[in-house]
């Protein structure tokens, strides 16, 4: 009972009570008591208020200017984007004109072989049976990190690289492909598959995964030949070890667009004995 009575009578610890009392006394004397001290305190409060007020007014004054600059920047971006789209449309129109002139030249100088020449030059759309090969990065991959990939032929990141697509396309040509396109980009004898950072370029056009490779040829035989080839097994290794995804399906009918205009820099027509060009 004596312990309980002591707890009730002294609910606040003695040390804590003493510290609280000391803080209360100091608090009462925290404000300056002299006239000069009070004047300095008042001046400090006025100065702080003045600074805050000036900052708020300046922010209000600058807000319209910043908003105007942002609108002007947005307008410039939109104008430049529209100009770039117009230029791209013009390029497409000129490319179509050049393709048409090339076809006319082939018909004029190719004689009975004009269609064959155009087909070999990938200058005309083609269609026929074949296969559809879809290749994609592994699930959950990101855009960073090359790992030991610079020293090996495989990917430790699960991402498809330019050299992977190169091997796939070469394997398809070796397996009997007659025409190939990647994401709608027709490949020719002069096509290049390169890398620019993390992007894959086909004839300087960036492609994004998944990569859809359409191939014209004998579908079942082409699929079997590719799977059994070195490059087909290479793709299987990427799938088993690094999670790269791919699938092959035989298609009854595939249509590929014509390739972009070819720029011939060194080839020249040869005149035959009859004076015709070939």
């Amino acid at each position: 009972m004596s312990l309980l009575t002591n707890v009730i009578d002294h609910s606040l610890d003695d040390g804590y009570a003493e510290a609280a009392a000391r803080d209360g006394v100091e608090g009462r004397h925290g404000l300056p008591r002299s006239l000069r001290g009070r004047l300095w305190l008042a001046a400090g409060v006025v100065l702080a208020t003045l600074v805050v007020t000036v900052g708020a007014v300046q922010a209000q004054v600058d807000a319209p200017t910043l908003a105007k600059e942002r609108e002007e920047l947005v307008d410039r971006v939109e104008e430049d984007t529209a100009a770039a789209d117009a230029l791209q449309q013009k390029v497409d129109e000129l490319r179509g004109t050049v393709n048409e002139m090339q076809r006319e030249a082939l018909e004029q100088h190719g004689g009975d072989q004009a269609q064959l020449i155009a087909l070999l030059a990938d200058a005309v759309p083609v269609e026929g049976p074949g296969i559809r090969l879809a290749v994609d990065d592994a699930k959950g991959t990101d855009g960073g990190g090359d790992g030991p990939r610079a020293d090996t032929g495989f990917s430790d990141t699960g991402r498809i690289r330019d050299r992977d697509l190169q091997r796939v396309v070469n394997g398809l040509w070796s397996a009997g492909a007659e025409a190939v396109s990647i994401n709608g980009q027709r490949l020719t004898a002069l096509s290049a598959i390169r890398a620019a950072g993390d992007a894959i370029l086909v004839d300087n056009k960036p492609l994004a995964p998944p990569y859809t490779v359409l191939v014209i040829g004998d579908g079942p035989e082409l699929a079997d030949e590719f799977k059994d080839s070195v490059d087909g097994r290479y793709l299987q290794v990427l799938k088993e070890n690094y999670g790269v995804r791919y699938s092959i399906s035989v298609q009854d009918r595939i249509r590929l667009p014509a390739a972009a205009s070819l720029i011939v820099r060194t080839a020249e027509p040869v005149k035959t004995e009859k004076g015709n060009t070939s």
Side-chain angles (χ1 to χ4, degrees):
M1 290 297 294
S2 61
L3 178 61
L4 182 60
T5 302
N6 184 54
V7 171
I8 294 174
D9 295 338
H10 301 83
S11 58
L12 188 63
D13 183 81
D14 295 338
Y16 183 80
E18 181 181 352
R22 184 171 58 253
D23 292 342
V25 173
E26 293 177 354
R28 288 196 298 270
H29 299 286
L31 296 175
R33 304 181 66 179
S34 64
L35 179 60
R36 178 178 295 180
R38 292 178 180 179
L39 291 177
W40 278 110
L41 178 61
V45 172
V46 172
L47 181 60
T49 304
L50 180 61
V51 171
V52 173
T53 303
V54 171
V57 172
Q58 187 65 34
Q60 292 181 353
V61 172
D62 293 342
T65 303
L66 295 176
K68 183 178 179 180
E69 292 178 353
R70 181 180 181 279
E71 291 178 358
E72 291 177 353
L73 180 60
V74 171
D75 292 340
R76 287 179 57 187
V77 171
E78 292 178 350
E79 291 176 359
D80 292 343
T81 301
D85 293 340
L87 290 175
Q88 183 60 47
Q89 182 178 1
K90 185 65 175 179
V91 169
D92 294 338
E93 294 176 356
L94 292 175
R95 182 177 289 116
T97 301
V98 172
N99 289 339
E100 184 63 27
M101 295 175 65
Q102 285 183 339
R103 282 190 287 269
E104 293 177 358
L106 288 172
E107 293 177 357
Q108 179 180 357
H109 300 289
D112 296 338
Q113 303 296 320
Q115 188 65 25
L116 177 60
I117 295 173
L119 181 62
L120 294 176
D122 302 300
V124 294
V126 293
E127 65 177 43
I131 63 173
R132 179 182 182 274
L133 172 62
V135 185
D136 199 359
D137 298 337
K139 292 183 179 180
T141 55
D142 55 26
D146 288 335
R149 188 167 179 74
D151 300 325
T152 66
F154 301 108
S155 172
D156 65 325
T157 63
R159 303 189 71 242
I160 294 296
R161 303 290 182 171
D162 57 326
R163 61 173 66 99
D164 301 327
L165 280 184
Q166 291 173 4
R167 294 199 60 166
V168 168
V169 171
N170 289 336
L172 290 170
W173 287 122
S174 299
E178 299 177 7
V180 180
S181 72
I182 303 177
N183 286 13
Q185 183 72 18
R186 180 79 173 273
L187 301 184
T188 69
L190 301 179
S191 294
I193 301 176
R194 294 289 184 267
D198 288 328
I200 294 180
L201 306 181
V202 175
D203 291 337
N204 293 325
K205 290 189 176 181
L207 303 182
Y211 306 101
T212 301
V213 185
L214 298 180
V215 187
I216 290 182
D218 188 336
E221 181 178 351
L222 183 60
D224 293 338
E225 288 288 339
F226 176 74
K227 290 179 181 178
D228 294 336
S229 67
V230 174
D231 298 309
R233 292 194 296 271
Y234 169 87
L235 189 58
Q236 182 64 26
V237 169
L238 292 182
K239 178 179 180 180
E240 294 175 354
N241 294 333
Y242 305 103
V244 169
R245 295 168 288 174
Y246 81 93
S247 61
I248 300 178
S249 60
V250 177
Q251 305 289 315
D252 294 332
R253 185 64 54 181
I254 293 177
R255 180 177 177 83
L256 303 184
S261 301
L262 298 179
I263 300 177
V264 180
R265 296 183 174 85
T266 57
E268 297 179 357
V270 177
K271 291 186 178 182
T272 61
E273 296 179 356
K274 296 181 180 181
N276 297 325
T277 57
S278 60

